[in-house]
Amino acid sequence: MKTITFNQKQTSTIGLEFDELIPDKIYTWEEVDFLKYEVPVGNSRFPLSSYFDVEVSGNAETPEEVKIVINGDLTRVKYIGSEMTSGEIVANSSVDLHCGALMEGGTITVNGDAESYAGREMKGGILTIKGNTREFCGASYIGDWRGMTGGIIEVHGSAGKQLGECLTGGEIRVKGNADILAGIHMTKGLITIEGDVTRWPGGQMQGGNIVINGKLSRLLEGFVDAEIVLDPEVAGKTFSGKYIKYVGDIARNGKGNLYLDAEKNRNFLSENY
């Protein structure tokens, strides 16, 4: 097992781009290699050693035997774990944009908040955010139609707008609340939100499943055929309790499923229930 520890000694007002510093690419590196490396900063490159001291211990024959630990104020460090396929990264701070973007395997743990586009177009692996994340978590990028296709994103706090936009696979779990339009344009996959949702989850969804265990502020008119289900099994998982199940979004001839905790969303129940 090899541990590579980045200890920050200086921050940058312009985001540092860490997409090249993943287990796949640096599993053979020693301290001297990091002293020679220049990290992208905007349109230029500067010595990594200006920003971080790097300690290397142990050995690795493959990327999966590497653990990267990043210490300091990482709020201007972007693309942490982007495109990684194996190994482990632990970021001991809140992080900047695109953490875990295009990730295919391995694990990332963020001991803080994550900026926008965390887990963007993720294909595999596990991304755990111990704090909150902003908009477009697990989503597609500008101009694309396909978001997250595999893997797991777990947010211990709350999520911003358009969580799981264009989701085509994988699973997103949010322990806190979610903002507007969670699961917009999704076709497959599972989104579970334990807290409250602002409004309009599943807009234009065509497939997949959304489970809301908190209170929903407003439901789109495109969700129909409401029925009460007990202990539903959704994507191989059993959810205990009474749920209101909707199908939609009919604006797109959608066949997605939206489940609302019935006790917390009594205002959506008709007199028949």
Side-chain angles (χ1 to χ4, degrees):
M1 183 70 185
K2 186 174 194 173
T3 301
I4 303 172
T5 305
F6 294 78
N7 293 309
Q8 190 179 56
K9 58 184 184 181
Q10 178 180 306
T11 59
S12 173
T13 56
I14 301 174
L16 307 184
E17 298 182 10
F18 259 44
D19 51 312
E20 296 173 348
L21 298 172
I22 57 175
D24 305 73
K25 296 182 179 181
I26 64 173
Y27 72 97
T28 62
W29 287 22
E30 299 299 334
E31 291 177 9
V32 65
D33 297 299
F34 292 102
L35 288 173
K36 294 185 292 184
Y37 176 74
E38 293 187 335
V39 62
V41 184
N43 293 326
S44 302
R45 284 181 176 263
F46 296 94
L48 177 68
S49 58
S50 297
Y51 302 98
F52 289 90
D53 287 325
V54 182
E55 301 173 0
V56 179
S57 62
N59 297 288
E61 295 183 358
T62 64
E64 65 185 1
E65 298 172 339
V66 173
K67 178 179 182 179
I68 295 174
V69 180
I70 314 173
N71 299 317
D73 177 0
L74 310 177
T75 52
R76 297 301 289 140
V77 179
K78 302 190 288 187
Y79 295 103
I80 291 175
S82 177
E83 297 189 63
M84 68 183 285
T85 67
S86 62
E88 178 182 4
I89 296 177
V90 178
N92 287 316
S93 163
S94 296
V95 300
D96 206 347
L97 296 160
H98 303 290
C99 179
L102 297 164
M103 178 181 182
E104 295 187 32
T107 64
I108 301 173
T109 302
V110 177
N111 288 313
D113 300 333
E115 255 289 354
S116 304
Y117 289 107
R120 167 180 65 83
E121 299 172 302
M122 185 171 164
K123 302 173 185 178
I126 300 173
L127 170 60
T128 302
I129 300 166
K130 294 295 183 72
N132 305 314
T133 188
R134 297 192 65 179
E135 56 269 359
F136 304 116
C137 176
S140 64
Y141 197 46
I142 298 168
D144 203 348
W145 59 269
R146 183 167 51 200
M148 178 179 176
T149 58
I152 297 171
I153 298 175
E154 183 167 271
V155 180
H156 288 205
S158 296
K161 299 175 183 177
Q162 295 182 225
L163 170 75
E165 182 228 16
C166 293
L167 189 76
T168 60
E171 181 178 357
I172 301 177
R173 309 166 185 165
V174 177
K175 294 186 178 181
N177 303 324
D179 206 340
I180 187 173
L181 291 170
I184 183 173
H185 301 302
M186 71 182 287
T187 57
K188 293 181 182 178
L190 170 64
I191 299 174
T192 303
I193 302 165
E194 297 297 335
D196 299 335
V197 176
T198 305
R199 57 189 182 275
W200 304 327
Q204 298 190 344
M205 75 183 292
Q206 293 179 278
N209 298 278
I210 301 174
V211 179
I212 299 173
N213 289 318
K215 186 175 181 179
L216 175 62
S217 173
R218 187 170 177 182
L219 178 69
L220 281 167
E221 295 179 356
F223 285 86
V224 295
D225 300 328
E227 62 174 318
I228 295 294
V229 293
L230 297 175
D231 303 328
E233 184 174 319
V234 184
K237 299 177 179 291
T238 300
F239 292 84
S240 298
K242 182 191 292 186
Y243 286 82
I244 314 169
K245 178 184 176 183
Y246 294 90
V247 177
D249 183 349
I250 60 172
R252 292 291 304 276
N253 296 315
K255 303 296 182 183
N257 299 309
L258 174 64
Y259 296 84
L260 304 182
D261 181 284
E263 294 301 317
K264 295 179 182 177
N265 293 281
R266 290 176 175 269
N267 54 311
F268 292 111
L269 291 171
S270 68
E271 295 180 358
N272 296 329
Y273 299 112

